[in-house]
Amino acid sequence: RQLWLTTRDAASATTGKLIGVDISLLHAPRITAEIPFSHPPLVLGEQGKTLVIATSTINQPRPLVRTGKLGSLHFIDISQPESPTLFSSYPLDVSADLSMADHFVVIMQTDGLLRVIDLSAANAPQELGALQLPWLQTAALSGRVQIAVKDKMAFISSLLGEIFIIDLHDPSQPKNLGVFTLAGPVTSLLIEDRFLLAEVYKEGVVVIDLENVQAPEILGTMPLPGLFHHGTVQGGRLWYVSPEIRG
């Protein structure tokens, strides 16, 4: 019954806030807490009573291209939702995208280095392992990759339409199982059950069957009107995408 929102300051666009909203009464939600950050924050997820936040200096001047860096991971005690407390931070300072699942964070740097950080002890994050991927320079310069993680498997996309399959069963030694290619730049990834949903720029949503993870099968494409990028939210078995223009 607690909703966590992040905001970017409208005036400077360089600072932001984490806002806690009590939704116990759905007809009367109320703000219960605010924590300011020196850079815009992003909610990664929860580990028990700990909320994990990433901050960044990322700007998005035009579709598919971003500049800036991830600043830090921040760990917030939410055992008392009306008085959340920031108790630890982990510096990153890299140009990268990241995703959180199964007690670890997967970081995909734009130089092609994949890093795995263990969050089992939030007050002492530990880097477990790394893997250099054959990343092409055009993807690296754009700073635009997408990551989806489930059941210790990671899927990482590039602007070239490639999706790398990474085995994380041993996080200290990530393994590249292979790569498959779609019809265009992948702007969002989501895993639901055994299906990978890939939002392909100007094409639509490609549905991929992962029953055999080493030989993914493309089942079809659902066209979407307009241009979509940088924003998906999963709710139950529904998938919401936010258009770049026209709301």
Side-chain angles (χ1 to χ4, degrees):
R1 294 297 184 176
Q2 186 76 16
L3 179 66
W4 298 102
L5 307 174
T6 56
T7 64
R8 179 192 295 263
D9 183 84
S12 68
T14 58
T15 61
K17 288 182 181 179
L18 172 70
I19 299 176
V21 182
D22 183 344
I23 55 173
S24 298
L25 300 175
L26 293 177
H27 64 281
R30 62 187 182 92
I31 294 177
T32 57
E34 294 187 18
I35 297 180
F37 285 90
S38 57
H39 297 291
L42 168 70
V43 174
L44 290 182
E46 296 182 20
Q47 293 284 7
K49 296 297 183 180
T50 299
L51 186 69
V52 183
I53 299 288
T55 55
S56 72
T57 60
I58 288 174
N59 298 313
Q60 187 125 8
R62 60 187 187 276
L64 302 180
V65 179
R66 297 193 298 177
T67 59
K69 291 184 176 182
L70 290 168
S72 300
L73 297 178
H74 301 279
F75 302 92
I76 299 172
D77 183 350
I78 55 173
S79 57
Q80 298 181 16
E82 297 199 1
S83 56
T85 305
L86 175 65
F87 66 87
S88 180
S89 296
Y90 184 84
L92 293 174
D93 192 30
V94 292
S95 295
D97 279 292
L98 73 174
S99 180
M100 173 178 156
D102 298 332
H103 302 288
F104 54 82
V105 167
V106 176
I107 298 174
M108 186 70 246
Q109 296 181 185
T110 54
D111 60 3
L113 183 67
L114 179 143
R115 297 162 57 192
V116 182
I117 297 177
D118 184 5
L119 300 182
S120 299
N123 59 344
Q126 180 182 4
E127 188 151 339
L128 296 179
L131 173 68
Q132 186 71 44
L133 290 176
W135 216 250
L136 297 180
Q137 191 68 14
T138 50
L141 286 174
S142 74
R144 193 73 178 102
V145 298
Q146 294 288 336
I147 306 172
V149 182
K150 186 176 182 181
D151 297 332
K152 298 187 177 179
M153 300 294 296
F155 299 85
I156 303 173
S157 71
S158 82
L159 272 182
L160 303 177
E162 298 169 326
I163 298 180
F164 290 84
I165 307 170
I166 309 298
D167 185 344
L168 299 174
H169 283 82
D170 180 359
S172 65
Q173 294 182 323
K175 297 179 181 178
N176 182 5
L177 298 184
V179 61
F180 60 98
T181 304
L182 299 180
V186 179
T187 57
S188 187
L189 287 176
L190 174 70
I191 295 177
E192 173 62 26
D193 293 334
R194 74 170 197 266
F195 300 106
L196 178 68
L197 304 181
E199 189 179 330
V200 178
Y201 191 63
K202 294 187 178 181
E203 295 287 334
V205 176
V206 179
V207 182
I208 303 160
D209 191 338
L210 299 177
E211 185 172 11
N212 181 356
V213 73
Q214 298 195 41
E217 180 184 359
I218 297 176
L219 301 181
T221 300
M222 179 179 69
L224 292 175
L227 303 181
F228 291 76
H229 78 288
H230 195 56
T232 60
V233 178
Q234 180 184 0
R237 296 186 62 81
L238 299 178
W239 195 39
Y240 303 88
V241 292
S242 53
E244 174 190 351
I245 55 177
R246 298 183 182 175

